[in-house]
Amino acid sequence: MTEDYICLTYILKWGIDKSDSFKDPKSILQEFLQAKGERPTQYNCKKITTKGKKNFSCSAIFDGFEFQAYGNSKKTAQMKVAQKILRALDR
């Protein structure tokens, strides 16, 4: 599944305004949590350098589970973590 399809699925399923379909997974997750009166997700990110290449590892604890992802930027890694959390919420 593409990220755009996943975001649109949650927008439609959770009643988020369709005009917000351009939003990324992190924004959708934050809005969903705010609507439920819950605190925003806290991301723990670390820069990892191997063979001169910079990458980031990010993780977040949500509902007692740790979600982790990697990316070539901190933002990308956070988006991937949020996407994993959204998928878990859908189950």
Side-chain angles (χ1 to χ4, degrees):
M1 279 189 200
T2 67
E3 183 177 313
D4 293 337
Y5 174 78
I6 291 167
C7 291
L8 184 57
T9 299
Y10 297 119
I11 286 168
L12 296 173
K13 183 174 185 173
W14 293 332
I16 298 171
D17 189 342
K18 289 181 188 178
S19 65
D20 290 342
S21 63
F22 63 89
K23 291 190 177 174
D24 57 71
K26 188 176 171 186
S27 296
I28 292 171
L29 177 60
Q30 182 175 340
E31 288 184 16
F32 173 75
L33 294 174
Q34 285 176 339
K36 297 285 186 185
E38 297 182 27
R39 299 177 117 188
T41 303
Q42 298 294 315
Y43 298 88
N44 180 21
C45 298
K46 298 178 196 173
K47 184 165 80 170
I48 302 168
T49 305
T50 53
K51 298 181 182 179
K53 188 173 180 181
K54 179 177 74 170
N55 284 304
F56 289 85
S57 167
C58 286
S59 63
I61 305 291
F62 183 82
D63 201 26
F65 296 95
E66 182 177 18
F67 295 85
Q68 186 170 6
Y70 299 89
N72 58 358
S73 70
K74 183 177 170 182
K75 180 179 178 180
T76 300
Q78 288 176 335
M79 297 295 173
K80 288 180 178 181
V81 170
Q83 192 171 31
K84 287 181 177 187
I85 293 171
L86 288 171
R87 285 183 178 158
L89 283 170
D90 195 36
R91 293 182 184 160

